[in-house]
Amino acid sequence: MALVTTKEMFKKAYEGNYAIGAFNINNMEIIQGVVNGAKKKKSPVILQVSSGALKYAGPKYLKAMVDAAIDVTGVDLALHLDHGPDFATVKLAIASGFTSVMYDGSQYEYEENVAKTKEVVDYAHSHGVVVEAELGVLAGVEDDVHSEKHVYTDPTQAVDFVTRTGIDSLAIAIGTSHGAFKFTGEPKLRFDILEEVQKKLPGFPIVLHGASSVDPKSVATCNKFGGDLGGAQGIPNEMLRKASSLAVCKINMDTDIRLAMTASIREVFGEQPKVFDPRKYLGAARDNIQALVEAKIDDVLGSANKQL
Ligand SMILES: [Zn+2]
């Protein structure tokens, strides 16, 4: 019934072999859809904000809406900065009341990444905020984050990084990617790397970015009503459920929210061309996001009835 850090959430998720869903938020309908889904399933949830979303909605609006969501629903949730690009953005998020931040120093050389991440950890911990960082590089595009190809996480380096920076969770690269076009051939994740990291860092929470399943039905609805998303493909639910039963405690899903929202709005516009009341199409989008989150909790995360 509160805004919390991810510490207790991850501890219980690790021990219980499930994961917490982290959904990207940009506006009121997305927040309500996600939180209503979590409430229905009695699941904890992480609402995360990219630096693009911070610019779009502004930290004050986002924090006030998240506070309202907690008041109304009583859901336990963490408010997390996704891909914090620099110390200034991390400080802004912490000053705005976020309980968790990601610092993404992946553009720097390893030693510089360690030093910069450590600086963020010291600052965040002194404010009671937890820190996620990332090692390895995910392919794909999402907001300001993009890369041409995968660089898988090196498990030995992961141990060194965690030990020297004092981070609270680590995002690793095992073949997931940002965006709606994750695979051109057969989906494949490097579970051997995940298992090796888990063996070397027992009990330490691992995060999967770029882990949307890209529901073919949502893609088909988008395309049927004027969209152009041919070839979109995500991570199969069974692979994500397997990861969440291992050391993965947080699964990031942004693309799936975007697709659910866009599919609903396109469908309303396509089937009811006379509609111009925003509540009609945004309300449909909110309902569809809630249904998506409930399905994720059941099929991917295993976090139903795990409120703190
Ligand atoms: Zn990411």
Side-chain angles (χ1 to χ4, degrees):
M1 300 250 285
L3 184 60
V4 295
T5 74
T6 53
K7 233 182 173 57
E8 188 65 20
M9 279 184 192
F10 287 170
K11 187 168 180 289
K12 291 181 75 175
Y14 199 103
E15 287 164 1
N17 301 315
Y18 61 93
I20 313 293
F23 300 97
N24 285 72
I25 57 168
N26 297 297
N27 67 11
M28 185 188 77
E29 283 77 9
I30 297 176
I31 293 171
Q32 289 178 336
V34 172
V35 172
N36 290 346
K39 179 187 162 74
K40 183 92 178 285
K41 289 290 172 186
K42 300 188 172 66
S43 169
V45 72
I46 298 167
L47 301 181
Q48 60 183 17
V49 175
S50 66
S51 54
L54 272 182
K55 283 181 207 132
Y56 175 79
K60 280 197 192 308
Y61 276 101
L62 290 168
K63 176 62 165 50
M65 287 192 288
V66 167
D67 285 341
I70 295 167
D71 274 356
V72 171
T73 63
V75 163
D76 295 319
L77 64 85
L79 181 57
H80 174 76
L81 172 67
D82 190 25
H83 289 282
D86 48 44
F87 203 8
T89 310
V90 165
K91 279 182 163 166
L92 173 65
I94 291 173
S96 303
F98 285 46
T99 55
S100 173
V101 293
M102 179 196 185
Y103 173 67
D104 183 354
S106 56
Q107 75 269 34
Y108 297 108
E109 289 300 315
Y110 180 69
E111 285 301 323
E112 196 173 356
N113 188 2
V114 169
K116 284 185 152 47
T117 304
K118 174 84 170 65
E119 194 185 0
V120 166
V121 168
D122 290 343
Y123 181 83
H125 283 181
S126 74
H127 290 77
V129 169
V130 292
V131 179
E132 171 188 325
E134 179 174 302
L135 261 195
V137 180
L138 269 66
V141 183
E142 190 172 44
D143 281 6
D144 303 333
V145 182
H146 48 83
S147 174
E148 294 288 312
K149 60 176 178 37
H150 295 293
V151 180
Y152 294 111
T153 303
D154 170 0
T156 305
Q157 195 178 53
V159 176
D160 183 71
F161 190 78
V162 167
T163 313
R164 288 170 62 195
T165 58
I167 54 170
D168 303 277
S169 61
L170 178 71
I172 62 170
I174 59 167
T176 61
S177 55
H178 291 129
F181 304 91
K182 299 190 191 294
F183 300 101
T184 43
E186 279 294 292
K188 190 177 179 321
L189 292 186
R190 291 284 305 273
F191 280 100
D192 58 315
I193 296 178
L194 174 58
E195 281 163 8
E196 191 62 22
V197 170
Q198 180 161 20
K199 213 167 81 189
K200 289 180 184 298
L201 290 167
F204 190 79
I206 299 301
V207 178
L208 275 193
H209 280 237
S212 284
S213 51
V214 188
D215 173 32
K217 255 173 54 197
S218 294
V219 173
T221 303
C222 287
N223 289 340
K224 181 179 170 191
F225 295 105
D228 181 11
L229 298 173
Q233 196 189 357
I235 319 284
N237 279 353
E238 314 81 69
M239 285 190 186
L240 295 170
R241 186 67 191 95
K242 183 180 171 189
S244 63
S245 71
L246 297 168
V248 171
C249 294
K250 172 173 179 269
I251 295 186
N252 288 9
M253 291 162 283
D254 183 7
T255 297
D256 282 338
I257 295 277
R258 296 179 180 201
L259 284 172
M261 182 157 208
T262 304
S264 297
I265 293 173
R266 281 195 179 278
E267 190 170 21
V268 171
F269 286 164
E271 290 192 330
Q272 305 173 62
K274 291 190 191 306
V275 163
F276 66 98
D277 177 348
R279 291 170 297 186
K280 290 281 192 311
Y281 51 86
L282 294 176
R286 178 173 61 189
D287 291 347
N288 201 26
I289 289 169
Q290 178 176 344
L292 170 83
V293 169
E294 288 180 33
K296 291 289 183 185
I297 288 169
D298 285 339
D299 303 338
V300 169
L301 300 161
S303 64
N305 301 307
K306 307 288 190 190
Q307 277 280 340
L308 299 179

